[in-house]
Amino acid sequence: MEKTWRWFGKKDKITLPMLRQTGVEGIVTALHDIPNGEIWPLEAINDLKQYIESHGLKWSVVESLPVSEAIKYGSPERDQLIENYKVSLANLGKCGVKTVCYNFMPVIDWIRTDLEHKWADGTSSLYYDSTKFAYFDCKILKREGAEKDYTVEELEKLSALDKTITEAEKEQLIDTVIVKTQGFINGNMKEGDRNPVAGFNRLLKLYDGINRNRLRENLRYFLASIMPVCGEWNINMCIHPDDPPRQVLGLPRIVTGEEDIAWLLNAVDNPHNGLTFCAGSLSSGIHNNVPDLAKKFAGRTHFVHLRSADILPNGNFIEAGHLEGRGHLIEVVRIFEKENPSLPFRVDHGRLMLDDKDKGYNPGYSFYGRMFALAQMDGVMATVKDEISKNLIQN
Ligand code: DNO
């Protein structure tokens, strides 16, 4: 598979010359300065593409061309926003950038409650603590009726936390869930927002009355509208699974596992409607067997995220090492190398290690940690290629 790396543009402290030294072949990026819903101009796409190429790399994947909330909840402005999206796609197609990752998660993208969960060796990983998240929902957002989404046991743990949590810890939880994880990825939230909780609650309100079926229909509508442009420019759309893959904060999530993925690929049965196979997101759902899903959906996968999670007995999950956990990445690499060796993959989320923290990289997007994981995956890939050349892999 093609080795790619998520790079946040010219402002990223991890530069393209640094990436060249790690053996990266392709870049995954976006026009991060353009607000959600606005057209990506041809010149801006071309500029960035040339900049990447001037460093001996190529722009392999767009992650993400964000889908505006109005398209997700389906208000009348959606048609204009979809028209804009189509123009951006055509502009990308004209520039030869043909793989586009996006997601259809309402309001909030990936969810973590701790950015620096320590391992004994001094490195740290991202972490999801279900009690802290329930606390965020019931006591910080104070979402109406939230308590009914939790079990008695979960509510007891939440009350216990309420007795010990400090104001500073509350602030940190808000900063982690709303600002730090979303800010650099999802145009809804920005660093420096004065009152993130109020802004977040305003966004949640927009989804009153939107259930799973409505959200599915809105996704179908969006995909059916853009497919002709994707066909004309040979663009592969690849939806990112929900992270974690379950309903949260009373919001429906519709890319959580096998049944959802099968639904979405059939709902718009066009090879340009495909999947970002994020082994990490899928592995944080206890219902998912990641290698099985890879086998089932390899033919419609256009982009792969290699990372892995472990679910703990108390329901929390931690980002495991890339050779560990429920992602079973060795097996996943075997499946994709056989099915489509030209697929781009990126290692996703590395640990914080060495002086990653001092450099102030984005959560999960460390340099040394990701480079370490890339080396691991590179080794796996070389082994798998060798197995394939010797016909050692059985179907
Ligand atoms: C988190 C990422 C996601 C993903 C977007 C794709 O690190 O995997 O934020 O990039 O959801 O649209």
Side-chain angles (χ1 to χ4, degrees):
M1 286 189 272
E2 185 196 11
K3 282 179 269 185
T4 68
W5 182 283
R6 190 173 196 182
W7 172 72
F8 294 97
K10 293 180 190 171
K11 291 184 202 143
D12 196 329
K13 292 174 190 148
I14 301 170
T15 62
L16 296 181
M18 286 163 77
L19 295 182
R20 268 311 286 278
Q21 295 194 20
T22 67
V24 160
E25 297 157 330
I27 293 298
V28 175
T29 194
L31 296 185
H32 287 283
D33 292 333
I34 299 196
N36 288 2
E38 286 184 18
I39 290 172
W40 285 17
L42 199 63
E43 308 70 50
I45 299 170
N46 244 329
D47 273 2
L48 192 61
K49 182 174 181 251
Q50 274 162 23
Y51 180 79
I52 294 169
E53 288 172 357
S54 73
H55 290 83
L57 295 160
K58 71 185 262 242
W59 188 352
S60 302
V61 179
V62 171
E63 182 174 354
S64 303
L65 181 53
V67 177
S68 307
E69 295 300 319
I71 298 178
K72 295 185 210 160
Y73 62 81
S75 72
E77 315 95 87
R78 74 170 159 182
D79 289 321
Q80 183 55 51
L81 290 162
I82 292 176
E83 282 314 305
N84 292 358
Y85 203 97
K86 283 157 68 178
V87 177
S88 298
L89 287 176
N91 287 347
L92 285 163
K94 287 176 197 158
C95 296
V97 185
K98 308 234 172 193
T99 305
V100 177
C101 170
Y102 70 103
N103 74 75
F104 218 76
M105 290 177 249
V107 182
I108 184 164
D109 189 317
W110 58 317
I111 302 174
R112 298 295 181 276
T113 56
D114 296 82
L115 303 178
E116 284 182 48
H117 191 83
K118 296 271 181 267
W119 294 89
D121 61 11
T123 60
S124 62
S125 291
L126 303 164
Y127 189 82
Y128 176 92
D129 180 311
S130 39
T131 306
K132 279 195 189 171
F133 191 66
Y135 187 90
F136 169 79
D137 188 5
C138 302
K139 300 283 184 190
I140 292 180
L141 296 181
K142 302 191 174 73
R143 182 171 64 89
E144 215 184 301
E147 282 77 8
K148 71 173 177 358
D149 289 352
Y150 300 96
T151 61
V152 174
E153 202 195 331
E154 285 169 327
L155 293 174
E156 278 168 13
K157 288 190 191 162
L158 183 157
S159 303
L161 176 62
D162 196 30
K163 297 201 178 84
T164 57
I165 193 166
T166 63
E167 285 308 308
E169 284 166 342
K170 284 186 207 170
E171 283 309 314
Q172 192 175 26
L173 188 58
I174 295 170
D175 195 49
T176 298
V177 178
I178 307 185
V179 184
K180 288 254 161 44
T181 46
Q182 311 302 308
F184 65 100
I185 256 164
N186 169 345
N188 283 337
M189 259 55 90
K190 287 191 185 52
E191 288 275 355
D193 274 355
R194 281 269 212 56
N195 192 342
V197 171
F200 195 84
N201 273 330
R202 262 197 302 280
L203 283 166
L204 280 184
K205 268 255 148 293
L206 297 170
Y207 285 85
D208 271 356
I210 306 288
N211 61 18
R212 228 176 122 66
N213 285 340
R214 274 286 294 283
L215 192 65
R216 274 187 167 183
E217 282 318 310
N218 294 346
L219 173 58
R220 185 211 298 267
Y221 182 91
F222 166 69
L223 284 169
S225 317
I226 63 171
M227 279 300 116
V229 180
C230 295
E232 187 181 347
W233 294 100
N234 199 20
I235 287 180
N236 287 329
M237 295 299 296
C238 31
I239 196 163
H240 189 283
D242 305 329
D243 181 1
R246 70 175 83 113
Q247 167 150 332
V248 290
L249 306 175
L251 296 165
R253 298 252 216 173
I254 56 172
V255 194
T256 61
E258 181 175 349
E259 197 246 312
D260 280 348
I261 298 171
W263 177 86
L264 107 98
L265 298 177
N266 288 330
V268 178
D269 192 11
N270 181 322
H272 296 291
N273 168 28
L275 186 64
T276 295
F277 193 90
C278 178
S281 305
L282 293 167
S283 67
S284 63
I286 197 79
H287 52 288
N288 288 327
N289 175 316
V290 179
D292 273 3
L293 293 175
K295 265 186 219 132
K296 285 200 176 98
F297 299 117
R300 293 280 288 271
T301 294
H302 301 309
F303 181 33
V304 180
H305 284 181
L306 293 179
R307 68 176 161 89
S308 180
D310 246 333
I311 303 175
L312 308 178
N314 57 9
N316 297 349
F317 69 84
I318 186 157
E319 299 214 355
H322 285 68
L323 298 176
E324 289 142 25
R326 305 186 74 252
H328 299 292
L329 299 184
I330 299 177
E331 196 49 36
V332 166
V333 169
R334 279 198 187 106
I335 295 162
F336 287 119
E337 263 303 325
K338 267 199 97 179
E339 172 80 23
N340 182 358
S342 62
L343 266 182
F345 83 91
R346 68 174 177 86
V347 288
D348 200 6
H349 303 182
R351 291 188 186 188
L352 274 185
M353 61 195 292
L354 304 170
D355 63 349
D356 269 329
K357 187 172 175 192
D358 303 332
K359 294 274 167 43
Y361 302 132
N362 289 324
Y365 291 89
S366 57
F367 180 60
Y368 294 107
R370 271 192 294 169
M371 185 167 66
F372 183 82
L374 176 62
Q376 290 179 312
M377 291 300 100
D378 214 6
V380 169
M381 209 100 35
T383 309
V384 167
K385 280 190 185 134
D386 189 56
E387 289 172 352
I388 292 174
S389 74
K390 292 177 180 152
N391 266 328
L392 293 177
I393 298 185
Q394 282 146 30
N395 284 322

